[in-house]
Amino acid sequence: MPVPVPVPLRAEWRTRRQLLTPLAACLLIALPDLLVSRVPPLTTLLLIGPLLACVRLGVRHTVVVCCWSAALGLAMGIGDGAVPGFEFGLRWTGLLLGCALTVYAARQRERLAMTLAEAREVARITQEAILRPISRTLDGTQVCTRYHSAARESTVGGDLYDVAVTPYGLRVLIGDVRGHGLDAVRLTADTIAAFRELAYTAPTLTVLAGALDTRLAPELAPEDFVTAVFAEFAPGEVRIVNCGHPPPLRAGHRVEFLEPVVPTPPLGLRPEPRQYRVRLQPGDRLLLYTDGLTEARDTEGNPFPLLGEAALALRDPLPDEALNTLYTRLTAHTGTAPTDDLALVLLQPTAATIPACAL
């Protein structure tokens, strides 16, 4: 059985292989002059090695390549036994100046890389403040969340979720902001901030949805909107308000979508929220998700079969593993990472409940 190579050692080997390329390039340029007399002087071309180094390696390795390049350039000048003249001195001085510039460029690249790393760390912390990762029991309900951003340079997109333990029970929000980029991130933060403020005072979900729509309206452009599902857990049931969002999925004895009786427009389009109630049997799970799950396609354009895949994935007794399995099956279906943001919230009441009448 092969012994795994530590990650730092693999990185060191990769750096050494990258270092060989500029060193070899300099040697190939110098060899004709060193081996054959009276060839055209190629001293200036030795700058190719430092240029290759500064775009891929750090300052220390760039300096090594520069020293190698300068040494080869000097050897080319004195290789024929003649005293180097003014013309060679000019070329070699230009080579040294170019090497100094490549070291400076490598230093600037390292600084930019450090700045980018710090910016990504700030983005990660911001994501955890805006979209708090959750995997615990809240007010008698086990809550597990996942967020996958389609943008590599960003960890926050237009999908959102949040939970609040209120005097009216556990309340959950999941939504999707129209659009992408910084405007979507700003609207995501505004929506979550408004929910965190209003969830504790609104007596019903319909009032909560209406108040959130009123709060967001001044922030929305004419074509902007936010799809959202609000859920409130009570003994034996869950109350739901759906404003233009993909319907929740209930997994228990069977897996089914919880479609609203009357469709309601998204927030920002003057919705008239309506609440519906659904019974929850012991062991039932509720999956809230965004359209990154329903609109995923394979290479032939076939949609992700959510009901069947959810029935398989949600069998796992551990909510974290269930969501991991669902995401793995999604990427196996598409063959690539998701091209749209994806938020998942899995909820399972754990406290003893008394079934209520469903309306």
Side-chain angles (χ1 to χ4, degrees):
M1 184 176 180
V3 178
V5 180
V7 174
L9 187 57
R10 289 202 302 267
E12 181 65 23
W13 287 351
R14 183 170 60 252
T15 300
R16 289 181 180 179
R17 288 196 299 268
Q18 292 175 345
L19 180 60
L20 287 176
T21 300
L23 293 176
C26 291
L27 184 60
L28 289 175
I29 293 170
L31 276 178
D33 186 271
L34 295 175
L35 298 178
V36 181
S37 60
R38 292 189 174 87
V39 298
L42 301 175
T43 308
T44 306
L45 290 181
L46 290 173
L47 191 58
I48 291 177
L51 287 173
L52 291 174
C54 75
V55 299
R56 302 183 63 184
L57 302 169
V59 173
R60 181 168 61 89
H61 293 98
T62 301
V63 170
V64 170
V65 176
C66 287
C67 292
W68 173 244
S69 178
L72 288 175
L74 186 60
M76 290 167 63
I78 63 176
D80 57 1
V83 178
F86 175 77
E87 185 179 353
F88 166 76
L90 190 62
R91 291 197 302 269
W92 196 64
T93 302
L95 175 62
L96 295 180
L97 180 60
C99 288
L101 291 176
T102 59
V103 172
Y104 175 77
R107 177 56 180 161
Q108 291 300 105
R109 190 178 64 83
E110 282 190 345
R111 288 179 178 176
L112 288 175
M114 292 175 59
T115 302
L116 180 59
E118 291 175 357
R120 286 178 174 169
E121 180 64 13
V122 171
R124 185 190 65 80
I125 296 172
T126 301
Q127 179 195 19
E128 293 185 355
I130 298 175
L131 298 172
R132 299 171 293 183
I134 302 171
S135 180
R136 59 190 177 123
T137 300
L138 299 172
D139 198 33
T141 299
Q142 202 167 5
V143 182
C144 184
T145 67
R146 288 290 185 278
Y147 187 88
H148 302 278
S149 177
R152 294 180 59 186
E153 67 276 6
S154 174
T155 52
V156 182
D159 292 3
L160 60 96
Y161 64 81
D162 201 23
V163 300
V165 179
T166 74
Y168 310 99
L170 176 67
R171 286 179 168 175
V172 183
L173 164 70
I174 192 166
D176 188 356
V177 173
R178 180 184 180 274
H180 300 278
L182 293 178
D183 289 339
V185 174
R186 175 189 56 79
L187 190 52
T188 295
D190 290 343
T191 303
I192 292 177
F195 172 78
R196 291 175 181 175
E197 178 182 345
L198 298 170
Y200 297 91
T201 56
T204 65
L205 288 185
T206 54
V207 174
L208 173 58
L212 190 57
D213 176 68
T214 301
R215 181 70 62 86
L216 293 177
E219 306 295 329
L220 297 174
E223 297 182 355
D224 288 345
F225 58 82
V226 181
T227 66
V229 164
F230 302 85
E232 178 182 277
F233 286 83
E237 70 174 13
V238 60
R239 302 158 188 160
I240 299 173
V241 168
N242 191 331
C243 296
H245 197 79
L249 184 147
R250 177 174 60 181
H253 294 296
R254 60 177 181 172
V255 179
E256 60 183 343
F257 293 116
L258 303 179
E259 300 274 3
V261 178
V262 179
T264 302
L267 303 177
L269 301 181
R270 299 182 179 179
E272 295 180 1
R274 301 194 180 193
Q275 176 178 284
Y276 58 103
R277 301 163 64 189
V278 179
R279 284 183 180 179
L280 292 179
Q281 301 297 331
D284 281 358
R285 286 175 166 177
L286 191 69
L287 177 67
L288 308 181
Y289 54 93
T290 54
D291 60 7
L293 197 60
T294 56
E295 295 183 359
R297 297 288 189 272
D298 63 11
T299 54
E300 297 180 355
N302 299 313
F304 182 63
L306 179 54
L307 280 178
E309 295 290 356
L312 296 173
L314 299 184
R315 288 177 182 174
D316 197 298
L318 299 177
D320 288 285
E321 292 302 320
L323 289 186
N324 291 341
T325 301
L326 183 60
Y327 183 72
T328 300
R329 300 183 76 89
L330 173 67
T331 54
H333 176 79
T334 59
T336 60
T339 57
D340 194 8
D341 298 329
L342 174 62
L344 300 170
V345 181
L346 185 61
L347 305 126
Q348 180 177 356
T350 58
T353 59
I354 301 175
C357 296
L359 299 179

